[in-house]
Amino acid sequence: MSAERVEVRPRKVRRVAIPIAVVLVLTFAVVGLLLRNTPTGVIFSVSDQLAMVALGLLLGSGVMLLTRPRLRADADGVEVRNIIGTQRFSWPLVQAVSFPDGASWARLELPEDEYVPIMAIQAADGERAIKAMRELRELRREVDAAS
């Protein structure tokens, strides 16, 4: 089994986050449209309606950030993109790839007891996470054998 390149994205979080984001945007859009007709006597303007739609878009975008994690690994190193930020590590810097018991996602072990979470490999993905860890570790063994 030769793994020249490994690319992983979480699956279950995408299945949950995308519908939630759509529901948020639609809900806030409907509320924004219906905002003018209130029996309370409060007067809402068009800017209030637009603000409700914008708020729905912001919340939906925030939920969609959960779908951003990705791992790319090749013979040169590992690129980890989590919710915010992307980092690239060369293989000599990576001491291990681990998935601690009870952890939600895998991590790269670095020197001086530091680590970087790999949110792309999530425990919630079950067999996909196991397969991704096997492929990543196999790639690491191939890189170590070649050097």
Side-chain angles (χ1 to χ4, degrees):
M1 174 180 169
S2 177
E4 294 178 11
R5 183 180 175 107
V6 176
E7 186 162 341
V8 183
R9 296 188 71 147
R11 178 172 282 172
K12 283 193 177 179
V13 74
R14 293 174 67 83
R15 289 182 182 163
V16 173
I18 292 171
I20 288 174
V22 169
V23 166
L24 281 170
V25 171
L26 291 177
T27 301
F28 277 82
V30 168
V31 168
L33 288 173
L34 300 176
L35 199 55
R36 294 213 54 149
N37 304 324
T38 67
T40 62
V42 177
I43 300 171
F44 292 104
S45 64
V46 174
S47 64
D48 296 322
Q49 291 175 298
L50 292 175
M52 287 300 285
V53 174
L55 185 59
L57 289 170
L58 283 173
L59 291 173
S61 298
V63 170
M64 288 302 292
L65 282 175
L66 298 174
T67 66
R68 194 170 183 272
R70 180 188 67 210
L71 168 93
R72 285 185 178 161
D74 55 25
D76 297 326
V78 183
E79 180 184 271
V80 177
R81 182 174 75 184
N82 287 325
I83 292 173
I84 299 174
T86 303
Q87 296 174 297
R88 179 128 180 116
F89 302 95
S90 62
W91 282 115
L93 185 62
V94 177
Q95 293 183 339
V97 179
S98 65
F99 207 124
D101 288 337
S104 297
W105 44 73
R107 64 190 197 180
L108 292 178
E109 304 286 343
L110 302 174
E112 298 181 19
D113 293 327
E114 291 188 33
Y115 67 88
V116 174
I118 307 173
M119 296 179 77
I121 304 177
Q122 298 186 1
D125 285 336
E127 286 297 318
R128 280 181 51 90
I130 293 169
K131 181 180 179 227
M133 286 299 289
R134 286 182 180 150
E135 289 175 359
L136 189 57
R137 287 176 175 158
E138 177 66 24
L139 176 61
R140 172 71 190 259
R141 281 191 290 274
E142 289 174 11
V143 167
D144 287 346
S147 46

